[in-house]
Amino acid sequence: GVLLRLLLASVAPRYQAVVFVDDAEENVVNVSRASAAMPQEVAVFHYDGPEGAPRKSEDEAEADWDVLEAATCRALSPRWCPA
């Protein structure tokens, strides 16, 4: 819960709601538990991809993450981005 609140504070110090989407069930469960103590509205979704879609390799998924991270850092400049 502490890490989630710190992450949110670094991205957007003033927020009223959170939408959390993850493909790892463990992360979804952990955020659901942590969000119970948060005053903001938190919607948590476990996403496993489109039905019938082929799964990406770990290398493909990592490359997609690198693109997403770079775009997020350029657009929002959260503190967790590399310098």
Side-chain angles (χ1 to χ4, degrees):
V2 171
L3 184 57
L4 175 61
R5 286 187 286 279
L6 287 173
L7 174 64
L8 293 171
S10 77
V11 175
R14 293 172 46 113
Y15 58 92
Q16 296 175 354
V18 175
V19 177
F20 181 83
V21 181
D22 202 304
D23 63 342
E25 186 174 3
E26 179 181 359
N27 294 342
V28 169
V29 170
N30 289 339
V31 170
S32 293
R33 286 184 187 141
S35 68
M38 294 175 62
Q40 297 82 5
E41 181 179 352
V42 181
V44 181
F45 298 94
H46 181 208
Y47 178 74
D48 199 24
E51 201 170 311
R55 301 293 291 180
K56 291 185 176 186
S57 72
E58 192 172 324
D59 288 340
E60 290 171 316
E62 186 67 32
D64 286 350
W65 174 256
D66 290 343
V67 170
L68 176 61
E69 181 181 34
T72 301
C73 290
R74 271 193 313 274
L76 302 174
S77 299
R79 286 183 259 171
W80 50 262
C81 288

